[in-house]
Short mmCIF file of all heavy atoms in Angstrom, two decimals:
data_model
loop_
_atom_site.label_atom_id
_atom_site.label_comp_id
_atom_site.label_asym_id
_atom_site.label_seq_id
_atom_site.Cartn_x
_atom_site.Cartn_y
_atom_site.Cartn_z
N MET F 119 -9.28 11.39 -37.90
CA MET F 119 -8.02 10.90 -38.51
C MET F 119 -8.25 10.48 -39.96
O MET F 119 -7.38 10.72 -40.83
CB MET F 119 -7.44 9.77 -37.68
CG MET F 119 -6.86 10.22 -36.32
SD MET F 119 -6.39 8.82 -35.28
CE MET F 119 -5.83 9.66 -33.79
N ALA F 120 -9.47 9.91 -40.24
CA ALA F 120 -9.72 9.44 -41.56
C ALA F 120 -10.20 10.51 -42.40
O ALA F 120 -9.73 10.76 -43.51
CB ALA F 120 -10.81 8.42 -41.48
N ALA F 121 -11.17 11.36 -42.02
CA ALA F 121 -11.81 12.41 -42.71
C ALA F 121 -11.02 13.59 -43.02
O ALA F 121 -11.02 14.21 -44.02
CB ALA F 121 -13.19 12.85 -42.16
N VAL F 122 -10.22 13.98 -42.00
CA VAL F 122 -9.36 15.22 -42.13
C VAL F 122 -7.86 14.83 -42.32
O VAL F 122 -7.21 15.43 -43.17
CB VAL F 122 -9.54 16.07 -40.77
CG1 VAL F 122 -8.60 17.33 -40.92
CG2 VAL F 122 -10.96 16.39 -40.62
N GLY F 123 -7.40 13.84 -41.62
CA GLY F 123 -6.04 13.49 -41.71
C GLY F 123 -5.64 12.54 -42.78
O GLY F 123 -4.52 12.31 -43.09
N GLY F 124 -6.66 11.98 -43.53
CA GLY F 124 -6.37 11.20 -44.70
C GLY F 124 -5.77 9.85 -44.27
O GLY F 124 -5.15 9.15 -45.10
N MET F 125 -5.94 9.33 -43.01
CA MET F 125 -5.39 8.13 -42.56
C MET F 125 -6.37 6.94 -42.73
O MET F 125 -7.53 7.19 -42.89
CB MET F 125 -5.09 8.21 -41.02
CG MET F 125 -4.14 9.36 -40.76
SD MET F 125 -3.89 9.68 -38.94
CE MET F 125 -2.91 11.17 -38.96
N PRO F 126 -5.86 5.69 -42.75
CA PRO F 126 -6.75 4.58 -42.88
C PRO F 126 -7.80 4.65 -41.81
O PRO F 126 -7.54 4.96 -40.63
CB PRO F 126 -5.83 3.38 -42.78
CG PRO F 126 -4.52 3.88 -43.15
CD PRO F 126 -4.46 5.28 -42.77
N HIS F 127 -8.98 4.27 -42.11
CA HIS F 127 -10.07 4.22 -41.14
C HIS F 127 -10.17 2.91 -40.39
O HIS F 127 -10.50 1.91 -41.00
CB HIS F 127 -11.46 4.51 -41.81
CG HIS F 127 -12.56 4.74 -40.83
ND1 HIS F 127 -13.89 4.51 -41.26
CD2 HIS F 127 -12.61 5.30 -39.60
CE1 HIS F 127 -14.65 4.83 -40.12
NE2 HIS F 127 -13.88 5.22 -39.22
N GLY F 128 -9.79 2.90 -39.09
CA GLY F 128 -9.92 1.66 -38.33
C GLY F 128 -8.59 1.38 -37.73
O GLY F 128 -7.66 2.13 -37.55
N GLY F 129 -8.47 0.09 -37.20
CA GLY F 129 -7.24 -0.36 -36.62
C GLY F 129 -7.31 -0.33 -35.07
O GLY F 129 -6.32 -0.76 -34.47
N GLY F 130 -8.42 0.17 -34.52
CA GLY F 130 -8.61 0.09 -33.11
C GLY F 130 -7.79 1.10 -32.38
O GLY F 130 -7.14 2.01 -32.92
N LEU F 131 -7.70 0.86 -31.06
CA LEU F 131 -7.00 1.84 -30.19
C LEU F 131 -5.57 1.94 -30.43
O LEU F 131 -4.90 3.04 -30.38
CB LEU F 131 -7.19 1.38 -28.68
CG LEU F 131 -6.68 2.33 -27.62
CD1 LEU F 131 -7.29 3.67 -27.70
CD2 LEU F 131 -6.85 1.71 -26.27
N ALA F 132 -4.85 0.80 -30.87
CA ALA F 132 -3.40 0.91 -31.18
C ALA F 132 -3.12 1.90 -32.30
O ALA F 132 -2.22 2.62 -32.33
CB ALA F 132 -2.85 -0.57 -31.51
N ALA F 133 -4.07 1.87 -33.29
CA ALA F 133 -3.84 2.75 -34.49
C ALA F 133 -4.06 4.18 -34.05
O ALA F 133 -3.34 5.07 -34.48
CB ALA F 133 -4.87 2.37 -35.55
N ALA F 134 -5.16 4.37 -33.18
CA ALA F 134 -5.33 5.80 -32.68
C ALA F 134 -4.19 6.32 -31.93
O ALA F 134 -3.77 7.47 -32.07
CB ALA F 134 -6.61 5.74 -31.87
N LEU F 135 -3.62 5.48 -31.05
CA LEU F 135 -2.44 5.87 -30.24
C LEU F 135 -1.29 6.27 -31.13
O LEU F 135 -0.54 7.19 -30.92
CB LEU F 135 -2.09 4.86 -29.14
CG LEU F 135 -2.94 4.80 -27.90
CD1 LEU F 135 -2.66 3.56 -27.07
CD2 LEU F 135 -2.70 6.02 -27.08
N GLY F 136 -1.01 5.35 -32.09
CA GLY F 136 0.10 5.62 -32.99
C GLY F 136 0.00 6.86 -33.75
O GLY F 136 1.06 7.47 -34.09
N ALA F 137 -1.26 7.34 -34.04
CA ALA F 137 -1.43 8.61 -34.83
C ALA F 137 -1.70 9.79 -33.90
O ALA F 137 -1.84 10.87 -34.46
CB ALA F 137 -2.60 8.40 -35.82
N ILE F 138 -1.68 9.62 -32.62
CA ILE F 138 -2.17 10.69 -31.71
C ILE F 138 -1.36 11.98 -31.82
O ILE F 138 -1.92 13.09 -31.70
CB ILE F 138 -2.19 10.17 -30.29
CG1 ILE F 138 -3.17 10.98 -29.48
CG2 ILE F 138 -0.75 10.20 -29.68
CD1 ILE F 138 -4.63 10.63 -29.68
N GLY F 139 -0.08 11.90 -32.17
CA GLY F 139 0.66 13.11 -32.29
C GLY F 139 0.83 13.70 -33.67
O GLY F 139 1.40 14.78 -33.86
N SER F 140 0.12 13.08 -34.68
CA SER F 140 0.21 13.64 -36.02
C SER F 140 -0.58 14.92 -36.18
O SER F 140 -1.75 14.96 -35.78
CB SER F 140 -0.35 12.56 -36.96
OG SER F 140 -0.48 13.14 -38.22
N PRO F 141 0.11 15.97 -36.78
CA PRO F 141 -0.57 17.17 -36.95
C PRO F 141 -1.66 17.11 -38.10
O PRO F 141 -2.57 17.96 -38.13
CB PRO F 141 0.54 18.14 -37.37
CG PRO F 141 1.65 17.32 -37.85
CD PRO F 141 1.50 16.04 -37.10
N ALA F 142 -1.66 16.06 -38.93
CA ALA F 142 -2.55 15.98 -40.05
C ALA F 142 -3.93 15.95 -39.57
O ALA F 142 -4.81 16.63 -40.17
CB ALA F 142 -2.18 14.73 -40.89
N TRP F 143 -4.23 15.07 -38.61
CA TRP F 143 -5.65 14.96 -38.06
C TRP F 143 -6.11 16.17 -37.20
O TRP F 143 -7.31 16.39 -37.07
CB TRP F 143 -5.92 13.66 -37.44
CG TRP F 143 -5.43 13.60 -36.02
CD1 TRP F 143 -4.14 13.26 -35.56
CD2 TRP F 143 -6.20 13.79 -34.81
NE1 TRP F 143 -4.09 13.35 -34.19
CE2 TRP F 143 -5.36 13.61 -33.70
CE3 TRP F 143 -7.51 14.17 -34.58
CZ2 TRP F 143 -5.78 13.75 -32.35
CZ3 TRP F 143 -7.91 14.23 -33.27
CH2 TRP F 143 -7.11 13.99 -32.15
N GLN F 144 -5.15 16.91 -36.78
CA GLN F 144 -5.50 18.09 -35.96
C GLN F 144 -5.71 19.35 -36.72
O GLN F 144 -6.09 20.43 -36.26
CB GLN F 144 -4.35 18.26 -34.91
CG GLN F 144 -4.12 17.13 -34.03
CD GLN F 144 -2.87 17.30 -33.14
OE1 GLN F 144 -2.70 18.38 -32.58
NE2 GLN F 144 -2.02 16.37 -33.05
N ALA F 145 -5.56 19.28 -38.09
CA ALA F 145 -5.67 20.53 -38.92
C ALA F 145 -7.17 20.90 -39.09
O ALA F 145 -8.07 20.24 -38.71
CB ALA F 145 -5.19 20.10 -40.31
N GLU F 146 -7.26 22.18 -39.41
CA GLU F 146 -8.65 22.73 -39.66
C GLU F 146 -9.42 21.99 -40.71
O GLU F 146 -8.76 21.61 -41.75
CB GLU F 146 -8.53 24.23 -40.02
CG GLU F 146 -9.87 24.92 -40.10
CD GLU F 146 -9.76 26.41 -40.45
OE1 GLU F 146 -8.60 26.89 -40.40
OE2 GLU F 146 -10.81 27.00 -40.79
N ALA F 147 -10.61 21.60 -40.49
CA ALA F 147 -11.38 20.84 -41.45
C ALA F 147 -12.12 21.84 -42.43
O ALA F 147 -12.68 22.79 -42.03
CB ALA F 147 -12.41 20.08 -40.67
N SER F 148 -12.03 21.45 -43.69
CA SER F 148 -12.87 22.12 -44.69
C SER F 148 -14.32 21.68 -44.45
O SER F 148 -14.64 20.81 -43.67
CB SER F 148 -12.47 21.68 -46.15
OG SER F 148 -12.75 20.25 -46.24
N ARG F 149 -15.30 22.41 -45.17
CA ARG F 149 -16.70 22.04 -45.00
C ARG F 149 -16.86 20.62 -45.46
O ARG F 149 -17.64 19.88 -44.80
CB ARG F 149 -17.51 23.04 -45.83
CG ARG F 149 -18.99 22.77 -45.78
CD ARG F 149 -19.82 23.86 -46.37
NE ARG F 149 -19.74 25.13 -45.69
CZ ARG F 149 -20.28 26.28 -45.94
NH1 ARG F 149 -21.15 26.22 -46.99
NH2 ARG F 149 -20.03 27.36 -45.34
#
Side-chain angles (χ1 to χ4, degrees):
M119 288 171 183
V122 179
M125 301 173 188
H127 187 207
L131 185 61
L135 280 170
I138 202 74
S140 171
W143 78 274
Q144 301 174 44
E146 184 177 351
S148 67
R149 180 171 296 183

